[in-house]
Each structure stands twice: as C-alpha cells, then as structure tokens.
Amino acid sequence: MGEKVVAGRFDLSDRQHYRDKLRRCLAGLERLLAEKRFDRPKNLMGLEIELNLLGADGMPRMLNAQVLERIASRDFQTELAMFNLEVNIAPHRLGGRVFDRLAEELRTSLAYADRKAGELDAGIVMIGILPTLDRDDLVSSNLSAVDRYTLLNDQIVAARGEDFALDIEGVERLTCTSKSIVPEAACTSVQLHLQVTPGRFADVWNAAQAVAAAQIAVGANSPFLFGRELWRESRPPLFLQSTDTRPPELQAQGVRPRTWFGERWISSAFDLFEENLRYFPALLPICADEDPLDVMDAGGIPKLGELVLHNGTVYRWNRPVYGIADGLPHLRVENRVLPAGPTVTDVLANAAFYYGVVRALAEDSRPVWTRLPFEAAAANFDAACRYGIDARLEWPRRGRLGGTTQVDAVGLVRDELLPLAEAGLDAWGVDPADRDLYLGVIEERCRRRTNGASWQAATFHRALETGLSREAALAATTRRYRELTLLGEPVHSWPVGLPEPVPLG
C-alpha cells in the first residue's frame, strides 16, 4: 500500500478490467513458480515499525506531515492518521550480531526523529494503541493528507454501505460507531519480513501461523482504547471491525472479513494469493500498463502490480508478499502480529524469538501444523489477544501420546518454544551473545509474567488508587510509559505505578 494512487471514481468497466488483470497476474505468478524464476536464498529479514506522535501531556498530536518534513528521510513515511509515522529499516542478513546492529540503527533513527518532533513540541512513542486516544481524534478530518488513504477509506466505506460498528468486550466493554476507517489508525504494529524461497514458503508461513498466539502472549501491548480497558492485545479485534466491509447480513452468511487469520494450512504461497482473488472483491481497481504474461514471454520479470495492490488490501496477520529486488523476484512472509514497543530492546527480543522459533518449527521433522488443527491455532490467537501473558493455549502433546492439550502460554514459551528459538537462531548463524541477550528478555517476561500490556494495566490501576480520574490516570500512565521507553530498559524491568512526587523545598 506504499504506492501512490490518485483518488478518483471507478466504474463497472474498471472493476472488470482489474479482475481480468488480476487473473493474468495470478497466471504469471504460477508460471514464475513453475519455472523456478525466484531469487536464491539470502536469509534476509526486514523491519517496519509504526509510531505515535504525542505531546508532553500524553495526548496525540496531529502533526505527521510537519514532523516528516523536518525529518527529511526516506526511512520515515506517513501512516493512516496524522498522529502516525512509520520507520522502515533496510533489509539485513540474519546472522552474526544482526540484532545489535539493528538496535543501534533503530535507536539512532528514533532519537533523531524524536528530536525533530520535539521542534514542534511533540514526541514519538512505540505503543500498540495510544491509551489517550479519544473518539474525536479518530475522524476523517485526521486522515493523513495522502490520496491512497482517502481512496481506501472511500472504497471500504462504500463497500460496507453504513457506519462501522465497534463492539469489543474485554475487562470492560466498548461499543461505538464510526463513519470512516480511521479507528484502524489506533493500531500501531511491528512488521517482520522474512525472504524465503518458494519451496520453503509454506513451511515458514504455517510455522508463523502456529506461533502467532505465543508472539502475542509475550508481546501484548494494547490494553486500552477510548478510555476502556479491553483485551490485552486489542489491535486485532479493532483492526477487524474498523476495516470490515461486511454489513451484518454478510457477516451472518459467513463471508470472510478482510482482516483475517485464515482458515487452513497451506502447501504453497500460490494458495494465499489465489484465495485473496477468490474471496475478496477489489477495493482499489487501479490497472497498470504492464501485461504480465507478455513480459514473461519476452523473458522479463513482471511487477504483478494489480496482484500486489490487491494483496495489500487483504489484512492477513501473516501476509504473503511478492517483490522484485536487483531484477529478481522474491517472496516474503510478512508477520504483522506484534504491537509496536515498548522499547527497541523489546522489539528486537520479539523479533529474535520470532525468527528463531519459525526457523526451528519450519524445519521440524514432525511439523506442528500436522499435529495442531488450524481451528485450534486460530482459537489460540484469539485467546492470546484476550488474555496476553495469562493466556492458555492448545498445543500438541510431547512424545508419542499424540493429540493436543491446554497449556499456559508462559510455560509453552519457556519450556518448549524458547529452546526451539535458540536452535533456530543458531541455525541462522546469529552470534550467541545476541541470541542470549534478546531471548533472555523473553525468558524474563515469562518468569515475571510481565509484558507491555500488563505493565500499562497495573500502572493505570495504581494511578486510579491515588485518586486520579480515568482520563488523568490514562494520561499519567502514557507519560510514564514514554519516560521509561526513553530510558531504554526492557519492559519486564519497569517499576509499576507512577513515580512519587518530589517534595518541594
């Protein structure tokens, strides 16, 4: 969705032409796969982080265009709403001290961007959902001034044909409506990319789906929305409902939502692209001049522009990505599960855990997806979003007994997945110092049963106990969160509660 598009109206012929182009793109992808035209393995990973802008009071600031003008770096881009930014880190080869190098790059980039935001009395914070967001912040007038966001909003609104209904019941319940998709902008995430060969794609994607619940359990960081305490990771239900093109009648018929965990294990990357065409109507039927099959007949590599654009409007939590680099096509698994933050160390601990455990699970001689029903993986994902570090998950029994059993998420991560992640990082050639440092952060979260969401909730309740109103407690929690992120120590080490006021005199 990073491509520039020009807002405009679409007629019936545009949609038919786009559907025809999508089919030709899919045929082109099938040929590329059959002819083994894809890039060789490079062990490349990539990282994107969505950010929030806030003032010294902890409230959102609608300043992304002005902040980006001051940052003046292609590494930083707009996101959906005016209080959002995104930072993109260039691909790195997995191995050696890659996570320490990434940490240095991220800290440098974020500190620079924060200084530039400070020139406008704003700051940058990595957090899944900014606790101080209000419904009045998430309105169409606060969409970023970029044509593609306006167009996407208009098309999703037109497809739904009525207001979007938000109804999330967690610790408390939130019910409200929106006339636009802007509430989706509350969701700020980390996207982890992994370039894989076509032959490895299905195993990696299946492994990523299986482990998504564990990622959320240890990494949850989004417990609040519009002043309500909801799920420990409230982004997935919010994202689903705020982009839902289905009116209630289509939901009742079982029509699939565009924000989607999926419904089956796969045997090829082609399965996912084909499903996206089969199940989801085009939102942005914008056609390029390229005919992908003609390009291939001439010995070239097609951009598959329509397929790429359509793929970007289906919000899978593990998304297939087609791209071209150095003249060669490649495939990536884009892991979109994790919330942003809290600190650079926490983000890279989450990344190290993901890349390690996915490698190990993908290479297991008895793959977990052959022993875990897909429906159980989907239910695990929901449970982890609801309960975070206290979730219970269904997982295959060890040994010869077979079947599945319910386990504590922290026990599963500590006893089974962390050793796999360690082996996976060793297989990538990651330096033991990086491996032990970042996986140690995950181990400590499990030991203390603490992540960003549990810290936010505990600190908020402590603030309420001091007599603050809900609004003041959320603002104070947000300000304290930013103070601690700037210190840089991982979230499991943060003291719960607000600092004691310093006596005067």
Side-chain angles (χ1 to χ4, degrees), residues 59 164 201 233 264 336 349:
M59 300 299 173
F164 296 86
F201 186 96
E233 187 52 47
R264 64 185 177 117
R336 304 160 50 80

Side-chain angles (χ1 to χ4, degrees), residues 355-397:
Y355 288 117
V357 78
V358 161
R359 169 90 185 236
L361 288 176
E363 294 182 350
D364 196 329
S365 59
R366 293 185 64 216
V368 65
W369 57 92
T370 65
R371 298 177 287 133
L372 182 71
F374 193 92
E375 295 76 14
N380 284 346
F381 183 72
D382 281 348
C385 291
R386 281 182 181 272
Y387 303 113
I389 203 119
D390 295 319
R392 288 183 61 79
L393 309 176
E394 187 174 343
W395 199 253
R397 287 191 179 90

Side-chain angles (χ1 to χ4, degrees), residues 58-330:
M59 300 299 173
R61 299 294 304 276
M62 307 297 167
L63 291 169
N64 66 356
Q66 299 94 312
V67 171
L68 283 170
E69 187 176 356
R70 281 171 164 76
I71 293 173
S73 167
R74 295 180 64 184
D75 292 343
F76 287 85
Q77 299 174 357
T78 55
E79 256 300 327
L80 184 62
M82 291 181 182
F83 62 89
N84 300 141
L85 300 174
E86 181 176 272
V87 60
N88 297 284
I89 300 300
H92 282 59
R93 190 179 300 276
L94 267 164
R97 300 302 301 269
V98 62
F99 295 109
D100 261 3
R101 290 197 305 274
L102 281 166
E104 186 173 347
E105 283 184 39
L106 271 173
R107 289 190 182 106
T108 301
S109 293
L110 293 173
Y112 171 72
D114 195 57
R115 287 197 302 273
K116 292 301 179 181
E119 295 173 6
L120 295 164
D121 297 321
I124 286 174
V125 68
M126 293 190 294
I127 192 167
I129 296 175
L130 194 62
T132 50
L133 282 170
D134 186 80
R135 288 180 60 186
D136 292 340
D137 298 316
L138 294 171
V139 293
S140 298
S141 58
N142 285 333
L143 273 172
S144 293
V146 178
D147 281 344
R148 71 177 182 270
Y149 299 134
T150 302
L151 182 54
L152 183 64
N153 177 69
D154 292 348
Q155 294 301 304
I156 291 179
V157 169
R160 183 173 176 87
E162 59 188 74
D163 288 355
F164 296 86
L166 302 183
D167 188 347
I168 304 172
E169 186 166 9
V171 177
E172 299 172 303
R173 186 175 183 182
L174 172 71
T175 58
C176 62
T177 60
S178 173
K179 295 186 179 301
S180 73
I181 66 168
V182 186
E184 182 230 305
C187 307
T188 48
S189 64
V190 172
Q191 286 114 49
L192 302 173
H193 290 255
L194 180 61
Q195 183 176 329
V196 293
T197 60
R200 300 292 293 150
F201 186 96
D203 289 347
V204 171
W205 187 86
N206 289 338
Q209 289 284 97
V211 81
Q215 286 182 273
I216 286 286
V218 295
N221 196 30
S222 315
F224 297 107
L225 177 66
F226 298 163
R228 297 285 191 275
E229 185 178 355
L230 302 174
W231 294 12
R232 283 301 181 249
E233 187 52 47
S234 303
R235 286 168 39 257
L238 173 59
F239 205 115
L240 185 155
Q241 294 177 20
S242 61
T243 59
D244 201 343
T245 55
R246 308 167 303 162
E249 295 80 6
L250 292 184
Q251 295 180 35
Q253 291 176 39
V255 173
R256 296 161 180 84
R258 297 190 85 97
T259 300
W260 199 34
F261 187 79
E263 61 191 17
R264 64 185 177 117
W265 306 116
I266 64 167
S267 57
S268 166
F270 184 83
D271 295 349
L272 300 177
F273 288 100
E274 188 275 333
E275 277 185 352
N276 286 355
L277 267 66
R278 183 154 42 99
Y279 293 151
F280 302 105
L283 288 178
L284 302 172
I286 300 164
C287 291
D289 293 332
E290 174 191 85
D291 185 296
L293 300 182
D294 288 348
V295 170
M296 291 192 69
D297 289 341
I301 301 298
K303 295 178 181 177
L304 306 183
E306 293 82 7
L307 188 72
V308 170
L309 180 59
H310 183 63
N311 191 56
T313 66
V314 179
Y315 305 107
R316 294 179 182 270
W317 294 109
N318 285 292
R319 176 190 274 167
V321 178
Y322 170 89
I324 299 175
D326 302 324
L328 290 173
H330 67 263

